[in-house]
Amino acid sequence: MSDSNLHAVIAGAGIGGLTAALALAKAGARVSLYERAPLLEEAGAGLQLGPNATRVLRDLGILEQVQRHASTPELLRLRRARDGQELARMPLGPVAELRWGAPYLSIHRADLQRVLLEACAGERHITVNTGTSVAGFADNSTGIEVALRSGEDTQRLHADVLIAADGLRSQHRALLALGSNDQPVWSGRTAWRALLPMDDAPAALRKLETNLWLGAKSHLVHYPLRGGTLVNIVAITEDDWRGEEAADLWAISGEPTQVAPRFAQWHRDARTLVERVGVWKRWPLFDRNPMRRWSLGRVALLGDAAHPMLPFFAQGAAQAIEDAAALGQAMRNAQNVPAALSAYERARSARAQAVVLASRRQGTIYHMSGPLAFARDLTLRSLTAQSFMAKVDWLYKG
Ligand SMILES: Cc1cc2nc3c(=O)[nH]c(=O)nc-3n(C[C@H](O)[C@H](O)[C@H](O)COP(=O)(O)OP(=O)(O)OC[C@H]3O[C@@H](n4cnc5c(N)ncnc54)[C@H](O)[C@@H]3O)c2cc1C
C-alpha cells in the first residue's frame, strides 16, 4: 500500500474478518476490526481446512500455531451407509501435502479463531473491538464514514475502506444491493453437529480418518479434532426447518431422538456413532446465488457475506481465507481504494462462484437414492487414489 496510514475497518470477527485483518496489516494497513458479539466464545464445531486454506495461513506466518491445535487425517474414506462398504478413498496426510504443497487439516473452529485472534493481538496496527456493530456507512470521495453501535451509543469513524465480513445474513450486502432478488436460498437440509470423545466412538471408527457415509437423502461426515481426542460429527438430513425463530444459530440444540431414528437403517458403526451423541447442534443450511460484484466504492464483501455456500465441499471458511489473501494482495500497492477493491473482486468472484455451485451439485450427488445412487457408487468404486485426487486439484491448488 502506498499510504501506510491507510485505515481499514472490518465488520465481523469470524474466520474471514480475522484473516482479512492479518492480511491487510501485513499489506501495511491500520486495521480496526469490530465484532457485534460481546465475546468471541467457544462457538461452533469442527472445520476441515483444505490445502488452499492452509497455504494462506502459512503465508501469514501462523500455520505452525494452527497445526498445534489441529489434526491431520490420514485419509478420506467414502462409504455406503447401508452396509459400510468402502466406495473410494483419498490419501491425505503427507501425500496430500506433497501433491498440493500444504497440509489438509481438521480443527475446532474456536481453536482457529483463537490462533487468528492471538496473531491479530501481536500486530500493533490491528485493534479488535467486541460488543460493537458496524451499523452503517456513508461513502464519499475522500473516505468512508462508518457508524459504530455499542449498546445505546453510536459513534462515527473516518476510514479509507470498509470490509464487510458479516456472514450469511450480511446487512452490508443488503445495503450495497449488488444483486437482484438477493436473498439466502434455503437448501431444504439441516446439519446436525456434535462432538464426541474419540474413546466413545465405536472401536472401528477410532482412527485419524475423515469418513463420509452416503445414504439416501442424508449423509454423515466425521473426522478427528484436537489431536484425535475428539471426533467431530456432521449429519446432514433433508428437513423443512429453516431456523427462522432462532436469534443465535450457534445456540440451537437438537435432541438425540430427532436424529438417531433417521440413521436406524445404517451400518452398525455409523448408527452407533450417531446414537452415542448426547446433544446435537442444529443448523439450517442456506447459500445464496452467486453475484459477480462484491464491492462498491470503498466497501467490499468478504467470506460468507460475499459467497455463502453449502458445506458439502468443506470450503466456506477456506474460501473466506482465500478472499483475505487476495484482498491483502490487491491493497498492497493500491493507489486508489475503489480500483483495488475491484481488483480483489475480479481475482476472487469466478472461483468462489465455481465453489458455491459445485457445493450445491455435490449435495445432490451425496443424497442420491435408487438407480442414481447405484450408478454413483459404481463411478466412485472406479476411482483410484490418483484419479480421486485429480478431481479436487482445482480446489486445493488454489
Ligand atoms: C455444517 C457446516 C460445516 C462446515 N464445515 C466447513 C469446513 O469443514 N470447512 C470450511 O472451510 N468451512 C466449513 N463451513 C463453512 C464455514 O463455517 C463458514 O463459511 C465460515 O465460518 C464463514 O466465516 P465468515 O467469517 O465469513 O462468517 P461468520 O463466521 O458468519 O462471521 C461473521 C461475523 O460477523 C459478525 N457480525 C455480523 N454483523 C455484524 C456487524 N454489523 N458488525 C460487526 N460484526 C458483525 C457476526 O457476529 C460473526 O461473528 C461449514 C459450515 C457449516 C454450516
Side-chain angles (χ1 to χ4, degrees), residues 121-149:
E123 292 279 345
R124 78 191 162 90
H125 289 304
I126 301 179
T127 55
V128 178
N129 311 273
T130 53
T132 307
S133 294
V134 176
F137 59 85
D139 191 349
N140 56 51
S141 54
T142 58
I144 186 155
E145 301 297 321
V146 178
L148 301 172
R149 187 163 308 135

Side-chain angles (χ1 to χ4, degrees), residues 361-389:
R361 282 195 298 277
Q362 204 67 2
T364 307
I365 293 168
Y366 286 170
H367 285 206
M368 284 171 170
S369 55
L372 285 176
F374 181 76
R376 174 202 62 201
D377 293 353
L378 274 182
T379 309
L380 286 173
R381 280 212 294 266
S382 72
L383 290 177
T384 61
Q386 285 303 315
S387 58
F388 199 169
M389 293 178 102

Side-chain angles (χ1 to χ4, degrees), residues 44-46 71 108 192-209 220-234 256 268-281:
S71 298
H108 196 296
W192 306 85
R193 307 166 93 176
L195 294 173
L196 195 69
M198 185 65 92
D199 289 345
D200 292 352
L205 302 185
R206 280 182 224 146
K207 293 180 179 167
L208 280 180
E209 283 183 6
L220 177 73
V221 185
H222 54 92
Y223 51 83
L225 289 183
R226 293 191 170 146
T229 56
L230 289 176
V231 52
N232 185 75
I233 308 171
V234 187
R268 185 188 59 242
D269 288 335
R271 198 177 64 230
T272 308
L273 184 73
V274 168
E275 284 169 357
R276 289 190 180 166
V277 170
V279 182
W280 292 93
K281 294 285 181 200

Side-chain angles (χ1 to χ4, degrees), residues 65-72 105-108 225-228:
Q65 293 90 310
V66 168
Q67 282 180 300
R68 258 181 239 140
H69 301 277
S71 298
T72 309
L105 303 177
S106 53
I107 188 165
H108 196 296
L225 289 183
R226 293 191 170 146

Side-chain angles (χ1 to χ4, degrees), residues 298-383:
R298 291 173 178 268
V299 187
L301 306 173
L302 183 140
D304 274 11
H307 46 65
M309 59 186 70
L310 299 175
F312 307 138
F313 263 128
Q315 277 287 318
Q319 291 301 310
I321 290 169
E322 281 195 22
D323 291 347
L327 179 68
Q329 196 166 349
M331 296 300 283
R332 183 172 292 277
N333 295 311
Q335 304 296 322
N336 172 315
V337 168
L341 294 183
S342 294
Y344 152 70
E345 169 190 285
R346 278 196 304 280
R348 289 291 304 140
S349 72
R351 174 162 165 84
Q353 168 168 337
V355 184
V356 169
L357 298 178
S359 300
R360 281 186 185 172
R361 282 195 298 277
Q362 204 67 2
T364 307
I365 293 168
Y366 286 170
H367 285 206
M368 284 171 170
S369 55
L372 285 176
F374 181 76
R376 174 202 62 201
D377 293 353
L378 274 182
T379 309
L380 286 173
R381 280 212 294 266
S382 72
L383 290 177

